[in-house]
Amino acid sequence: MAFSTSSFWGPVTSTTEWCEQNYVYSSYIAEFYNTISNIPSIILALTGLVISLSQRFEKRFSILHISNMILAIGSMLFHATLQRLQQQGDETPMVWEMLLYIYILYSPDWHYKSTMPTFLFLYGALFAIFHSQTRFDVGFKVHYITLCLLCIPRMYKYYIHTQDKPAKRLAKLYIITLSIGLSCWICDRLFCKNVSLWYFNPQGHALWHLFMAFNSYFANQFLMFCRAQQRGWNPRIEHFMGLLPYVKIQKPKAE
């Protein structure tokens, strides 16, 4: 939405704006709430990274948590500036992150170990080059949704093969946060004209960031649990301060 004070970053060059008035609190931050709402993503991703490193999970999970942080930082820069370059810095890591999820979900049963990471790496690199040269707002959304849909069958397979009730609860929390977050995103897009007339803006896109922060965390912990089961590491779900669930493993002494 149009800014109300002077802009440090100049005119908006991104292809997308959200239902938040620009530069209300600072000339350096275009969409204030959409910017700071990425902080929980960074904190939860850092928490997941510490859990992964401290228990010596496979490097793929450390990279996954780092990718969550990179995505959140890219989103902060995009919403703070509303510039085309920063928009690419937000959208390209979104695709890279989904490619990483696809690898983690499908690689355990992939017979040709080197072909999948090689293909996904090349795909991600080619997408980044193409995206840097081309504007395709609707096409990007369709592409991203397609990558997300590719993950669903495998996530469902993991869910039905998991007997541990606390682990299944993680998967359910993943679905709940995704559903609520997506509802906030859709309402922010479809009803912005109505919302902008309200005395109080519920900041639907900022809420999307908040719910997706927990969504990514729950997804990552569920995948870590499933992978630990595959490796015979006797995983269980524990809770930090009785609230935040995380995976605790016990590797055989030989490892």
Side-chain angles (χ1 to χ4, degrees):
M1 296 173 66
F3 62 83
S4 57
T5 63
S6 59
S7 161
F8 174 82
W9 304 103
V12 172
T13 59
S14 63
T15 60
T16 303
E17 283 190 83
W18 304 93
C19 195
E20 180 180 356
Q21 197 171 30
N22 299 344
Y23 298 104
V24 173
Y25 299 100
S26 170
S27 60
Y28 297 97
I29 302 177
E31 296 176 340
F32 180 78
Y33 291 107
N34 288 347
T35 300
I36 65 171
S37 58
N38 284 285
I39 295 175
S41 293
I42 297 175
I43 295 173
L44 288 171
L46 183 59
T47 302
L49 179 62
V50 171
I51 293 169
S52 177
L53 291 174
S54 64
Q55 299 187 81
R56 296 185 292 114
F57 271 89
E58 294 163 301
K59 290 181 180 179
R60 66 186 70 181
F61 291 106
S62 297
I63 296 172
L64 179 61
H65 295 302
I66 292 172
S67 75
N68 293 154
M69 283 189 278
I70 291 173
L71 177 57
I73 293 170
S75 180
M76 290 182 74
L77 293 174
F78 167 48
H79 288 290
T81 64
L82 292 180
Q83 299 297 299
R84 171 60 182 162
L85 179 61
Q86 281 73 22
Q87 182 180 3
Q88 291 174 335
D90 176 32
E91 293 178 346
T92 300
M94 288 173 65
V95 171
W96 289 349
E97 184 182 68
M98 291 313 304
L99 295 177
L100 187 54
Y101 276 116
I102 290 173
Y103 171 72
I104 290 174
L105 284 165
Y106 287 95
S107 62
D109 293 335
W110 195 262
H111 298 294
Y112 306 99
K113 298 298 182 182
S114 63
T115 56
M116 177 178 282
T118 301
F119 170 77
L120 294 176
F121 175 82
L122 292 175
Y123 186 94
L126 290 173
F127 171 82
I129 295 171
F130 179 76
H131 189 33
S132 68
Q133 303 298 318
T134 309
R135 293 193 178 200
F136 56 116
D137 189 43
V138 176
F140 170 80
K141 291 182 175 64
V142 172
H143 175 244
Y144 183 73
I145 291 172
T146 301
L147 293 177
C148 293
L149 292 175
L150 289 175
C151 296
I152 292 177
R154 194 67 174 186
M155 284 288 283
Y156 180 70
K157 179 181 178 181
Y158 280 1
Y159 176 80
I160 62 177
H161 283 86
T162 300
Q163 302 302 319
D164 188 85
K165 289 184 178 180
K168 279 184 173 289
R169 195 175 299 119
L170 277 178
K172 291 176 182 177
L173 287 171
Y174 163 79
I175 296 296
I176 292 170
T177 51
L178 176 61
S179 300
I180 298 175
L182 189 59
S183 298
C184 294
W185 187 94
I186 292 173
C187 290
D188 188 77
R189 296 302 290 171
L190 296 183
F191 306 113
C192 182
K193 290 183 179 180
N194 303 90
V195 170
S196 61
L197 299 175
W198 296 358
Y199 177 76
F200 172 74
N201 185 340
Q203 304 297 341
H205 195 73
L207 290 174
W208 153 261
H209 286 161
L210 177 62
F211 282 108
M212 291 310 294
F214 284 96
N215 175 263
S216 297
Y217 178 83
F218 294 141
N220 294 355
Q221 294 302 308
F222 178 70
L223 291 176
M224 290 167 67
F225 182 93
C226 294
R227 183 57 177 165
Q229 274 194 325
Q230 293 171 351
R231 298 296 301 270
W233 291 345
N234 300 315
R236 65 183 186 275
I237 302 298
E238 295 193 355
H239 293 79
F240 179 70
M241 298 183 66
L243 295 173
L244 190 66
Y246 69 94
V247 178
K248 182 74 174 179
I249 61 174
Q250 184 176 356
K251 292 184 177 180
K253 292 184 178 180
E255 297 188 40

